[in-house]
Amino acid sequence: MTSDPLLLTGAVDDAMAQLLGTVAGFGAAEVAGPSLLPGWTRGHVLTHLARNADGFVNLLTAARTGEPIPMYASPEARAADIEAGADRGPADLLDDLRRSSERFAAAVEAMPVEAWAATVQARRGPWPAATLVWGRLREIEVHHVDLAAGYRPAGWPEAFAQRLLHEVATGLADNPDAPAMVLRFDGVRHELVVGDPEGAPMVTGSAPELAAWLIGRSGGEVLTVTPDGPLPTPPEWI
């Protein structure tokens, strides 16, 4: 998948259209029901996605203006905003999600070319502004799965799944808590190595299933391990 933020906007639009289609089918019982995230209802996930879009607008604005605007006012404010919006009805949640998505799209459109070279202060540290559109796409695709409403990692576009898999595997390579393993896509010779490959198990599957397993969105039931044995236990993805 391209790293050009402007070329990724179409993927963001497509992912958001799918998400909005899912949410449009929710009634009051569905938005109040549990998500795949412990302690969060679907209303929590949807409110988080809306406030996340606004957080990315803050970062895009910081990149464009040079002002030190944080993604969120504080961790406490972020959590409070999610709690405050989680109990809304389906129409309000859908409208908030749609409007915040439109604000994000407008902020991307307002970015001059040179602003993409800036570095901004995201929630967990400095981020290149050029990665913000990818970050938003990742939020939409992963949290769509978290809604537990029929959208599964198998529905992720292959290019998205491969980029996510490479990103997560690269992060694990620098994590001392990550077990050694070799990841191989089905039917592809290319391998991703985590840790020392000597004697490490090879885990094989599709890119979406490998990525979903590494980020805790799948138990890896369809993956195979060579030599035969249990799957390694990846550290928690954050």
Side-chain angles (χ1 to χ4, degrees):
M1 174 169 276
T2 178
S3 60
D4 187 325
L6 296 181
L7 294 180
L8 280 176
T9 57
V12 171
D13 291 343
D14 291 344
M16 180 54 66
Q18 280 194 294
L19 176 63
L20 291 172
T22 295
V23 179
F26 287 165
E30 284 76 25
V31 297
S35 73
L36 296 182
L37 297 178
W40 272 19
T41 65
R42 293 189 182 100
H44 283 90
V45 175
L46 295 174
T47 302
H48 162 63
L49 276 167
R51 300 291 73 77
N52 172 265
D54 288 336
F56 276 116
V57 169
N58 288 338
L59 295 180
L60 289 164
T61 303
R64 179 172 54 82
T65 65
E67 294 294 321
I69 305 170
M71 186 170 187
Y72 301 105
S74 68
E76 295 77 16
R78 172 183 175 272
D81 284 345
I82 293 171
E83 285 297 332
D87 291 336
R88 292 173 295 169
D92 287 340
L93 287 164
L94 179 62
D95 183 64
D96 188 17
L97 190 61
R98 182 182 290 114
R99 289 177 182 273
S100 61
S101 175
E102 291 170 352
R103 290 192 291 270
F104 174 80
V108 170
E109 187 175 354
M111 285 281 283
V113 173
E114 62 273 13
W116 292 112
T119 297
V120 294
Q121 191 65 30
R123 184 179 166 217
R124 292 191 174 91
W127 265 30
T131 65
L132 294 176
V133 178
W134 160 251
R136 179 58 181 167
L137 176 62
R138 187 179 56 200
E139 288 286 316
I140 296 168
E141 290 286 8
V142 172
H143 287 311
H144 195 170
V145 171
D146 290 334
L147 289 175
Y151 188 70
R152 303 298 303 146
W156 287 339
E158 185 69 16
F160 168 80
Q162 289 197 21
R163 177 165 177 174
L164 178 62
L165 177 58
H166 279 80
E167 179 181 78
V168 176
T170 299
L172 290 177
D174 298 325
N175 188 335
D177 295 327
M181 53 186 159
V182 178
L183 308 172
R184 175 177 283 183
F185 306 8
D186 280 335
V188 179
R189 288 188 176 184
H190 181 61
E191 297 173 350
L192 298 174
V193 178
V194 177
D196 184 358
E198 185 69 29
M202 177 178 291
V203 184
T204 304
S206 68
E209 290 296 341
L210 285 167
W213 166 64
L214 288 179
I215 66 171
R217 265 60 181 188
S218 165
E221 295 83 0
V222 301
L223 303 176
T224 59
V225 184
T226 307
D228 189 33
L231 283 167
T233 303
E236 183 179 3
W237 182 64
I238 56 174

